[in-house]
Amino acid sequence: MTDVAREAGVSVATVSNVLNQPHRVAEPTRSRVTAVIQRLGYVRSENARLLRGVPSRVLAVLVPDLANPFYAALVRGAEDEARKAGLAVLVGNSVHDPREENRYLDLFTEHQIRGVLLTPSGPDGAGIRALQRSTVPFVLVDQAAPSRDLCSVSVDDAVGGRLAMEHLIRMGHRPIAYVSGPGHLPQVRERRAGALQALSAAPQPIEFHELSCDHLTLATGRDAGSRLLGMRKRPTAVLCANDLLALGVFQTLHTAGLHVPQDMALAGYDDIELAAAAAVPLTSVRRPAVTMGSLAARLLIAETQRDGTPEHAHRQIVIEPELAVRQSTLQPPRRPPPGPP
């Protein structure tokens, strides 16, 4: 930095401002210093900054499945917010494995990451406890905080499950199937609870079938579709715990020559971009992934700037989901063809 300052004819403090707070430097000076930095090939040392007690400029986002477009959109929202604050984002994918989650959290702590956005993978909250033992600030995203002394951004998934099931009931569907996901995930449990609440509140009893899945993927959705085709009395409508499951079910139905929604209505959850772009646009519960990532990053940045002040207020933001009704459910049921004997 001394070399850059000498070549540019400015103070070391001005070089520091160009690198860390460019808005504080007049544009002509900023351009001159930047040109010298590029000519000399100067690269600042993040380790040296950390040794001086300067906070890292890197946030981490740890999600359970980057193959799921919902989490990719969530990361995008976090990146947008971090960029505004002059920060970068490091992304980790725990693949729904608590061991991978723990490995990433250890790595983030060792490298003194500024803060972590975490969507927990494990059923027992081990990742949350690990971060609480460390000095790394963190915010939970896509899962409500278990206590008031943590920040989180989540969706009321019980409301979402209820909205989707109520829609299918209003359309006159009987029987109805629900394709669920891993029961240890709070989001999945809440969606199921909301769907069951709508069924119990229906004016007349409705025949209901549940198909459980170990994963929330296209492949498990295709498998669930095969199980639906094998039922002796096929449902006229299917609600899935996420859009990937629903799209997998759709693929199996299409391959078998069945039509959505004429032969079987289909609804998903998350409202990823692929939902509206499917061959038959998919009805889905909308969770604003980009907004969730942005809000969580904003909370995390505020958390990292509090400097130990006790007046920092932890917030637990809960977003109300909406139902995006599309062609996949916009037709009254007709008597389905019988299943195998």
Side-chain angles (χ1 to χ4, degrees):
M1 289 179 68
T2 302
D3 294 337
V4 171
R6 183 173 57 250
E7 288 284 328
V10 299
S11 68
V12 172
T14 298
V15 176
S16 177
N17 280 336
V18 169
L19 292 169
N20 300 299
Q21 303 180 80
H23 61 279
R24 299 184 61 179
V25 183
E27 197 282 329
T29 302
R30 189 168 66 241
S31 296
R32 186 168 75 253
V33 172
T34 301
V36 172
I37 287 173
Q38 292 173 346
R39 178 162 55 83
L40 296 182
Y42 168 73
V43 178
R44 59 183 166 189
S45 169
E46 189 68 18
N47 287 336
R49 285 167 50 86
L50 295 175
L51 286 172
R52 295 199 312 272
V54 179
S56 167
R57 296 174 295 112
V58 179
L59 301 178
V61 183
L62 183 56
V63 296
D65 185 7
L66 273 177
N68 186 334
F70 172 82
Y71 290 112
L74 189 150
V75 169
R76 189 167 73 246
E79 285 179 322
D80 290 344
E81 199 65 34
R83 193 176 296 115
K84 296 175 188 175
L87 304 173
V89 170
L90 178 68
V91 182
N93 182 16
S94 67
V95 294
H96 286 289
D97 185 342
R99 292 170 299 182
E100 275 298 294
E101 178 179 272
N102 187 62
R103 188 178 71 84
Y104 269 113
L105 294 179
D106 285 345
L107 187 67
F108 297 156
T109 302
E110 290 170 9
H111 286 267
Q112 300 180 55
I113 292 292
R114 185 187 188 101
V116 178
L117 296 182
L118 173 66
T119 302
S121 293
D124 58 356
I128 298 174
R129 292 195 299 275
L131 283 173
Q132 286 176 315
R133 289 192 299 268
S134 76
T135 59
V136 179
F138 69 99
V139 171
L140 299 179
V141 58
D142 193 30
Q143 184 169 319
S147 60
R148 303 293 293 179
D149 61 344
L150 299 175
C151 287
S152 65
V153 177
S154 62
V155 169
D156 193 333
D157 284 311
V159 169
R162 177 174 55 79
L163 288 174
M165 186 61 76
E166 285 175 347
H167 168 67
L168 298 178
I169 293 171
R170 281 195 303 270
M171 293 297 295
H173 288 286
R174 315 280 193 279
I176 298 175
Y178 179 66
V179 179
S180 188
H184 71 270
L185 296 177
Q187 304 94 316
V188 170
R189 292 198 304 270
E190 291 172 10
R191 293 168 203 178
R192 178 181 182 275
L196 294 178
Q197 181 186 14
L199 285 167
S200 65
Q204 296 177 342
I206 297 175
E207 186 177 348
F208 173 72
H209 304 280
E210 182 173 359
L211 289 75
S212 61
C213 296
D214 294 333
H215 305 284
L216 297 166
T217 63
L218 282 169
T220 49
R222 288 191 290 266
D223 176 71
S226 297
R227 286 186 277 163
L228 286 166
L229 292 177
M231 295 173 64
R232 296 194 61 178
K233 186 177 181 182
R234 290 177 184 165
T236 66
V238 181
L239 171 60
C240 298
N242 83 342
D243 287 340
L244 293 182
L245 288 175
L247 293 171
V249 169
F250 176 83
Q251 289 176 358
T252 298
L253 297 180
H254 177 74
T255 301
L258 271 66
H259 298 90
V260 174
Q262 294 91 334
D263 296 315
M264 198 177 292
L266 189 60
Y269 204 106
D270 284 342
D271 198 28
I272 60 177
E273 290 186 10
L274 292 174
V280 178
L282 181 68
T283 290
S284 182
V285 177
R286 179 174 296 139
R287 300 197 303 154
V290 174
T291 299
M292 292 172 66
S294 177
L295 287 173
R298 203 174 303 166
L299 290 178
L300 182 60
I301 292 167
E303 180 92 2
T304 64
Q305 293 173 341
R306 62 176 174 156
D307 297 325
T309 53
E311 59 269 17
H312 174 79
H314 294 286
R315 297 180 61 197
Q316 296 81 39
I317 299 175
V318 180
I319 298 172
E320 289 290 308
E322 300 175 351
L323 184 65
V325 178
R326 301 192 180 96
Q327 187 180 342
S328 69
T329 60
L330 282 182
Q331 186 159 322
R334 69 184 186 189
R335 185 172 181 84

